[in-house]
Amino acid sequence: MTKFQGTGIAIITPFNDDLSVDYSALTHLVNYNIENGTDYIVISGTTGESVTITKDEKKEITATIIKANNGRVPLVLGIGGNNTAEVINEINSTDLSEIDAILSVSPYYSKPTQEGIYQHFKVISQACPVDIIMYNVPGRTSSNMSPETTLRLASDFNNIIAVKEAGNNVHQYLKLLRDKPDNFLIISGDDDLVLGVVLAGGAGVISVIGQALPKQFSKMIRLGLEGQAKEAYAIHFKLMEITSLIFSENNPAGIKAVLDVLDLAKPNVRLPLVQATETLKKAIKKELQGLN
């Protein structure tokens, strides 16, 4: 499981001005992250605007990242949804030979019971040929996967190896960390809380801001994993404001504004998302100048 300890990034999908996928920028962003300390890459998650890319684009995005990565770090592919049968169909029809795990979001919109969530992931576990990282993000799904359900799944299925927990709920993190099986990973999906989670026993993060500042962010996570709290918090405090800014309007418009300032990708997003406001862009630019 050590391949998913440390800093993973939820990589964006860069778009050209005509909103076609910018594969050149995507390749550059992969190399930039690997060369600066990112431990693994998550493809086609929320930050990758997965709901507005086509099936063909998803295949090409995945192929581009696999090629750019060239086996250097583990890769995780987002395959999830609220139609269990369709999730299984995508798993069965996707070439996962170069993928180390899938990231599968807890069902959204339908608001299933905890038993429904359990049965959803049970079926996915039985169908999936690679490891599974569950993704709990109640702010987007309108349904919280309780610690009891997460831990029940962790205990019952060997290929369910981790949860990306993004409920922004410290008490829920601590319950998971206290009660989890030894070989099950608690991965933070909250950039603002991750250091505390890591110091309490978490495995690391699947980060948004980390892809823009991989050297600083991954160093912070490594220090946290080593128990060097004072040194890790020194970095955390420096990154607090930029981390807050990127989520102040919507994700991934905020991180794309950061990447635009860093000349790593254009700020374009697809509707119904819109670019960060000029006010936010100015604040982001000012904060980044202060970090240099």
Side-chain angles (χ1 to χ4, degrees), residues 35-177:
E35 291 164 4
N36 284 284
T38 293
D39 295 302
Y40 62 98
I41 295 171
V42 178
I43 308 164
S44 195
T46 305
T47 305
E49 294 175 74
S50 56
V51 296
T52 55
I53 62 173
T54 68
K55 290 181 179 179
D56 287 342
E57 285 173 333
K58 184 173 182 178
K59 288 181 181 178
E60 187 61 29
I61 289 164
T62 304
T64 299
I65 293 174
I66 288 171
K67 182 178 179 182
N69 179 48
N70 195 27
R72 288 179 288 173
V73 300
L75 299 178
V76 179
L77 180 62
I79 302 181
N82 61 345
N83 180 341
T84 308
E86 183 55 36
V87 174
I88 301 306
N89 181 60
E90 184 174 353
I91 289 170
N92 290 336
S93 61
T94 300
D95 179 4
L96 297 173
S97 60
E98 300 291 333
I99 299 299
D100 295 270
I102 67 165
L103 178 72
S104 199
V105 67
S106 183
Y108 47 82
Y109 186 76
S110 303
K111 298 177 76 171
T113 63
Q114 294 301 308
E115 184 62 25
I117 294 171
Y118 176 88
Q119 294 297 333
H120 172 81
F121 281 113
K122 176 182 177 180
V123 172
I124 290 173
S125 171
Q126 292 169 338
C128 191
V130 298
D131 288 334
I132 299 162
I133 301 171
M134 300 183 295
Y135 181 18
N136 183 42
V137 55
R140 290 184 179 273
T141 64
S142 297
S143 171
N144 181 48
M145 183 164 64
S146 72
E148 292 75 17
T149 299
T150 298
L151 297 172
R152 182 183 170 199
L153 286 158
S155 296
D156 289 353
F157 304 101
N158 290 335
N159 63 340
I160 297 180
I161 63 163
V163 64
K164 177 187 176 183
E165 178 65 32
N168 214 254
N169 182 327
V170 173
H171 182 67
Q172 183 150 305
Y173 273 117
L174 294 176
K175 286 184 71 175
L176 288 167
L177 289 165

Side-chain angles (χ1 to χ4, degrees), residues 5 25 46 95 113 132 147 156 160 188 191 239 242 244 249 278-279 290:
Q5 288 185 326
T46 305
D95 179 4
T113 63
I132 299 162
D156 289 353
I160 297 180
S188 178
D191 282 348
L239 300 181
I242 192 66
S244 177
E249 292 182 356
E278 290 303 316
T279 299

Side-chain angles (χ1 to χ4, degrees), residues 188-215:
S188 178
D190 297 304
D191 282 348
D192 56 340
L193 298 182
V194 61
L195 182 53
V197 173
V198 166
L199 289 167
V205 66
I206 295 175
S207 174
V208 178
I209 191 60
Q211 67 197 290
L213 303 166
K215 187 173 291 186

Side-chain angles (χ1 to χ4, degrees), residues 255-267 280-286 288-289 292:
I255 186 61
K256 284 191 166 182
V258 173
L259 293 169
D260 182 41
V261 173
L262 298 175
D263 200 28
L264 291 166
K266 293 182 177 181
L280 178 56
K281 288 179 179 179
K282 288 178 182 177
I284 284 171
K285 187 173 183 179
K286 181 179 179 181
L288 287 172
Q289 288 172 340
N292 292 335

Side-chain angles (χ1 to χ4, degrees), residues 215-235:
K215 187 173 291 186
Q216 300 98 310
F217 200 87
S218 63
K219 182 179 181 181
M220 179 188 77
I221 299 299
R222 284 195 300 274
L223 289 167
L225 289 169
E226 294 167 359
Q228 299 186 52
K230 183 178 180 180
E231 296 85 350
Y233 269 113
I235 300 172

